[in-house]
Structure formats: structure tokens, C-alpha cells
Amino acid sequence: MFPLGSVLVPHMLLPLQVFEARYRVLMEELVGQLPRPDDQRGWGDDPRFGVTMIERGHEVGGADVRAEVGTLATVVGAQLAEDGRWAVVAVGGERVRVIEWLEDDPYPRARLKLWPDEDERLSADVRRGLRTRHAEMLALLGELGVEATDQGPDWTDPPERLLWQVALASPLGSFDRYQLLDAPGTSERARRLSTQLDDQLALLRARLDP
């Protein structure tokens, strides 16, 4: 496990500079030369690790309070520096629930359960509402001098992917993203995301018309 001070959501890229000794051991087991423990062999051949948000405490040194909902991250690139540090790029995948935290030896460990969405429905009206909100948000950001850095969501994507793409293309904080990650399914996630976008729109309008 890799507890972080931020939230990793599905389809999100995660660049990491791994310098703590405990996480260097983790990377050696995942992509280096050390053998992988038996309890990591049930998750497929791809090098993956769990990511949860630190609710209280710090990333370095331990003694933190960790969220119970997280994401599996797949390593897509890793490079070992001469000083023993790892430069790693991972991408968020399936959601997971922590069943039990184990002893942090030699690094944070937990028993996990995959947590797929309860439903995959997203009505045309909900899609239109999200698209309208997102377009208005981009327009307001443009008035504030903030340009979009990518092409934005593909509105023909399946519901599960679309909602995460909208969230990643919006100026949401870690708490908002965790609320989306913690939603039981796409319908509730869409409702929460719509509310969050409405809040962002109100803040942007206030900045333009104080």
C-alpha cells in the first residue's frame, strides 16, 4: 500500500518520487529484482499497489490515519536512480475497500477487496447537464485567464470512464475527489459530481463579479 496526502481516482496518472526506504523496498518487489511476496501474487502479473488517502497525518514517517476506500495503481513506468530513489509513473485502476490494515513491515500493507460500481446507468439528461456545467466552467476559467490544458472529456465514453474524466478535467480538491471515489455507483457519483460542479461555478462567478 502507498498512502498519500492526495486522492488517486481511476484513469488518473500518478507520478511518484520514491525516496523512503520502506517504499523503495516496495518498488524493488514490484518492478525490481526482489521476489514478490505470496500475498501479492493474486492480483495478476502487472505491477500494482494500493493507494489510499491520508485523512490525518503525513506521508513521510508513518503514524497516519488512512481512508478505507482506495484505488489500485498499475505501474506504467519506473526508473531507478543511482542514489536508490525511484521515479515511478502509475495509473489509477479499480476501486478497492480496505478489509484489514496489516503491520507496516517492511511497508504499509492491507487486505483489499475490489469494489466495482453498483450500476452503470447514466441518463441522457444527466450527460447533458454535466456537459453544460463543464462547458460553462471552461468558459468562466477562460475569462479568468486559465486555458484548458487538454481536449476534455469524450462525452461518448461509457459512464464509469466519463465521470472520472469530467472530474479530472475540473478544479476539484482531494476531498471532492474522495467523495466521488466513495460513491456506491455511477448514479450517485454523477449526482455528487453535478453538485460539486455547481459549487465550482458559483465560486468562479464570484471571482468574476465580486
Side-chain angles (χ1 to χ4, degrees):
M1 297 295 291
F2 208 123
L4 290 173
S6 56
V7 177
L8 177 68
V9 301
H11 310 293
M12 177 180 174
L13 284 178
L14 176 66
L16 292 170
Q17 291 292 328
V18 181
F19 58 88
E20 275 195 87
R22 54 182 178 162
Y23 295 123
R24 285 159 62 171
V25 174
L26 172 61
M27 290 304 154
E28 283 288 342
E29 291 180 358
L30 287 176
V31 297
Q33 301 302 316
L34 295 178
R36 296 173 66 183
D38 290 339
D39 59 5
Q40 289 183 359
R41 300 182 190 277
W43 296 97
D45 295 330
D46 293 331
R48 299 199 288 179
F49 57 95
V51 177
T52 55
M53 182 179 68
I54 296 174
E55 296 181 335
R56 293 192 302 276
H58 304 282
E59 292 181 359
V60 179
D64 47 40
V65 177
R66 303 160 185 169
E68 297 300 312
V69 176
T71 311
L72 281 183
T74 299
V75 177
V76 295
Q79 184 173 5
L80 178 62
E82 292 183 359
D83 63 1
R85 300 187 181 199
W86 284 89
V88 177
V89 178
V91 62
E94 300 100 317
R95 294 191 306 159
V96 292
R97 280 191 176 276
V98 175
I99 300 173
E100 177 188 9
W101 284 102
L102 305 175
E103 184 179 357
D104 282 15
D105 183 17
Y107 42 73
R109 300 177 304 133
R111 301 190 189 279
L112 304 177
K113 180 180 180 180
L114 292 176
W115 188 28
D117 284 350
E118 291 181 355
D119 60 69
E120 296 184 354
R121 297 187 299 273
L122 200 63
S123 70
D125 287 343
V126 172
R127 282 181 182 263
R128 282 193 294 270
L130 289 171
R131 190 167 189 171
T132 298
R133 290 175 173 88
H134 186 260
E136 183 178 356
M137 183 186 67
L138 292 182
L140 293 174
L141 287 171
E143 291 185 45
L144 290 167
V146 180
E147 296 184 3
T149 58
D150 54 35
Q151 296 180 349
D154 182 348
W155 296 96
T156 64
D157 272 345
E160 188 274 338
R161 180 177 177 84
L162 174 62
L163 294 179
W164 293 122
Q165 294 297 336
V166 174
L168 291 171
S170 305
L172 302 179
S174 290
F175 177 79
D176 286 334
R177 288 181 177 178
Y178 185 77
Q179 291 300 307
L180 299 177
L181 191 66
D182 192 43
T186 52
S187 298
E188 175 61 18
R189 185 172 303 117
R191 187 192 68 78
R192 295 182 187 185
L193 180 58
S194 296
T195 299
Q196 292 170 359
L197 292 179
D198 286 339
D199 292 341
Q200 291 295 325
L201 289 171
L203 291 172
L204 293 172
R205 294 188 194 106
R207 290 177 61 185
L208 286 167
D209 188 19

